[in-house]
Amino acid sequence: MEKVVLLGDEAVALAAIQAGLTAAYSYPGTPASEIMEFLIRNSGNGQKYTAKWCVNEKVACEEALGVSFAGKRALVSFKHVGLNVAADPFINSAITGANGGLVVVVADDPGMHSSQDEQDSRYYADFARILCLEPASHQEAYNMTREAFDLSEKFRIPVMIRLVTRLAHSRSSVETAAPREQNRDLPYGTWQDWTLLPGNARRRFRILLDRQKDLLEYSENTGYNQLVLNHAGGRLGVVVSGIAYNYFKEVAAALPAEPSHLKVSTYPFPVSKLRRLVEQVDEILVIEEGYPFIERFLRGVTGIPGKVIRGKMDGSLPATGELTPDLVARALGLPERAGLKTGEFKLAARPPQLCAGCPHADTYKALNEAIKDFPRPVVFSDIGCYTLGALPPYNAIQTCVCMGASVSMAKGGAEAGIHPSVAVIGDSTFAHSGITPLLDAAHSNTAMTVIILDNGTVAMTGTQPSFGTGEPLDRLVAGLGIDRNHLRVIVPLPRNHQENVKVIKEELSHNGLSVIIARRECVQIIGEKKRS
Amino acid sequence: MKYDIILAGVGGQGILSIAFVIDNAALEEGLFFKQAEVHGMSQRGGAVQSHLRLADGHIYSDLIPLGQADMILSVEPLETLRYFEYLKPDGAVVSSSTPYTNISDYPVLEEVFREIKKAPVHVLIDSEKLAREAGSVRAQNMVMLGAASRFLPLKEDSLKKYIQVLFEKRGAQVVQTNLRAFDLGRQAARA
Ligand SMILES: Cc1ncc(C[n+]2csc(CCOP(=O)(O)OP(=O)(O)O)c2C)c(N)n1
Ligand code: SF4
């Protein structure tokens, strides 16, 4: 046994390596990126196992599925919204089942520190009818990930590890166990299981449904789900899941006696244990990070006769945002303990902003000037550093929804009469989800302008490598059928401002599809290159 | 024993480097720690913070409850104030006095100082001046760590050892600059 200091993300990554990982795939996204960063750093240049960034989450998930088919262990990781993109292979991989252990790590972002929403991935696990493990600590993140591979092979289903930002990005020490070899002897999957023609799919789905009782039995028996009955603790019972358990333990120490409680760490959650807790108490408080997932099941439509259920649905805890020890303390009836106050003093906010010298800033300045004389222009944007163009001093964009949506929305907008209809999208986001809608627009030569901000990296999430950048990007775009006369490349620099304004103006006035590639390297990348 | 620290600053000021040194020094001295970091979006010149908890036993929560921090350690004065409600009544504020003015509505500096001085225990350090004296303005984070080391339940030697480890890759000169920054901060906190 060895003690190492790790982020929650890294504990998962190290566990996967030591569980005999053959290959791991991911697309960057906060708070999941550090899993793949750790895997790549420790792969001995890919000699020990494969660890690769992919073009998007769907591709990553399918590549992992191929590894599982081959009888080897695979890990795929991404942020919560990445699972939306990977939903198709994810749901269907529950039907094919896993051959080699397949672990899907999803990092949720309650509080939306770096995300568009705070969706709760436990619903996806439930929807796919697979097992979900939700660690409360770094040690559990390590242990559960190791076990997840075994469970995946035992039950022949993918297994989800659900992380949340606070665990993913918290650092602590972890004790590791002896590493295991990679799989050697598992045969490939059989075509009857893996070819989801309706006849096979119906049979496979039946098998998945029949598995549910085994999954439930696992949950009832695993030591991760601890039921603690404390008669001195009064008539309150607490159901507490994931990292909420830490907040509960932290603050419950201030109560005269610790209430009876059930720690839920695996899903489907342990129903009998939950019943046993409910029988012992009059009032149940459900504390979970994310949506009121357990609470909603517990309440059902009619509630439980004679029992009071409290949680996010009755306002005992806020329905949105991240939990804190203070919120949990309040829900347990403990007095507030706020420290010093700054009183009248007005704290100026300090939002994130584009770096000094950022190429996006020069593109926005040129775009703003080029577009200002049109009566009702719309700039549909996408997700990346350039989304900060929504804020002053740029105020340059009107939308940001999900990756790739800038191009598709600009097309829809143009078809609804918006002119000029502009999309701005980063190079990585373009590769992720912008190519297909641009093909769509090329097919109908829609009157719109797509500006690809090619800074050569995935900057927002920490400068990971981008796939569609530089000259190959120009050829890719041309290959989609964009008229070469309306495929322009500009260099966003202050000294090129007038020229860039002119190019953008020309293309905004073009009554057809234009693509402008604004190409200049992210200044952070330049800094990194200098340092190394 | 427990010691809870709020680390604060602006994205790019190196508060995670401070955390690295404290984490490892604590581990070396047989303590437990948990340290919640902020990555991603807010690192781009925005407000960043980290909750760092040290204890001689198991630590549950990654977050420090309000009113329970033993110290606010901040590389920027306005950022110091942002987390005041975390400080316990007799907690210490160790703050830089060098403003990072990348926002248009930065308050009047004197007023910021006046607020900071409302904390019963406070140390204001001209981190820019001392870092420059040490050899690099980028070493302000280590100046502040040096100042904080007066209060931390950790040995000076363990902290210095991990400053060494942290900067080793960048050469002996960078190590020396940062160790000097630490010493200057430590001296200033006594004065
Ligand atoms: C489906 C999905 N995956 C990942 C993310 C996280 N994410 C936000 S922006 C971004 C990529 C940004 O790269 P790019 O488009 O090249 O812009 P840059 O930040 O470099 O300017 C990623 C991966 C997300 N929001 N949604
Ligand atoms: S990281 Fe790069 S792309 Fe992002 S704001 Fe800074 S310079 Fe611009």
Side-chain angles (χ1 to χ4, degrees), chain A residues 162-415:
Chain A
R162 183 208 187 208
L163 298 178
V164 292
T165 305
R166 275 307 155 193
L167 179 54
H169 283 172
S170 163
R171 210 176 279 280
S172 194
S173 55
V174 173
E175 282 182 4
T176 61
R180 170 196 184 276
E181 295 284 299
Q182 292 188 22
N183 284 356
R184 270 179 227 270
D185 306 324
L186 269 185
Y188 295 166
T190 60
W191 79 269
Q192 292 93 334
D193 291 347
W194 287 76
T195 308
L196 297 180
L197 285 164
N200 287 336
R202 286 183 202 116
R203 184 177 52 81
R204 291 296 311 171
F205 188 46
R206 188 71 253 165
I207 291 173
L208 178 62
L209 294 182
D210 291 343
R211 264 283 170 252
Q212 300 305 306
K213 62 177 188 322
D214 304 326
L215 305 186
L216 190 58
E217 188 186 311
Y218 165 77
S219 265
E220 296 290 1
N221 294 317
T222 176
Y224 292 125
N225 299 323
Q226 287 160 12
L227 175 63
V228 176
L229 295 176
N230 180 11
H231 296 292
R235 304 303 296 161
L236 172 71
V238 180
V239 180
V240 62
S241 75
I243 64 157
Y245 178 71
N246 301 337
Y247 303 144
F248 168 72
K249 290 293 283 186
E250 172 96 19
V251 302
L255 291 168
E258 193 176 70
S260 295
H261 58 275
L262 172 64
K263 169 175 175 281
V264 176
S265 309
T266 72
Y267 306 83
F269 53 77
V271 177
S272 319
K273 279 185 175 162
L274 193 55
R275 283 202 188 102
R276 278 178 55 204
L277 175 73
V278 170
E279 281 161 13
Q280 301 286 325
V281 298
D282 301 328
E283 184 183 332
I284 305 124
L285 173 66
V286 189
I287 315 173
E288 44 196 333
E289 189 73 291
Y291 290 5
F293 177 80
I294 302 172
E295 184 184 345
R296 219 172 125 193
F297 274 105
L298 198 61
R299 284 178 190 275
V301 178
T302 53
I304 308 174
K307 313 267 173 181
V308 177
I309 302 173
R310 297 201 296 121
K312 295 194 167 195
M313 293 171 73
D314 73 333
S316 294
L317 288 160
T320 67
E322 206 178 18
L323 291 175
T324 63
D326 308 290
L327 290 170
V328 172
R330 198 177 68 192
L332 286 167
L334 289 162
E336 225 171 286
R337 286 227 293 193
L340 287 176
K341 292 269 191 298
T342 45
E344 302 292 283
F345 186 80
K346 199 178 152 284
L347 272 175
R350 198 189 302 261
Q353 39 191 270
L354 296 175
C355 308
C358 174
H360 300 333
D362 292 311
T363 303
Y364 280 135
K365 281 178 201 153
L367 174 61
N368 278 348
E369 189 171 332
I371 214 166
K372 71 175 190 305
D373 296 330
F374 290 91
R376 292 178 69 198
V378 176
V379 180
F380 297 92
S381 183
D382 228 294
I383 307 190
C385 284
Y386 49 92
T387 314
L388 296 172
L391 309 176
Y394 311 103
N395 305 312
I397 63 174
Q398 283 88 60
T399 72
C400 161
V401 180
C402 64
M403 293 188 76
S406 61
V407 181
S408 350
M409 286 179 71
K411 179 168 183 278
E415 286 165 353

Side-chain angles (χ1 to χ4, degrees), chain B residues 7-32:
Chain B
L7 290 173
V10 178
Q13 282 194 315
I15 69 163
L16 294 185
S17 298
I18 300 179
F20 172 89
V21 175
I22 300 180
D23 290 353
N24 285 284
L27 204 64
E28 173 142 328
E29 295 189 22
L31 297 176
F32 292 81

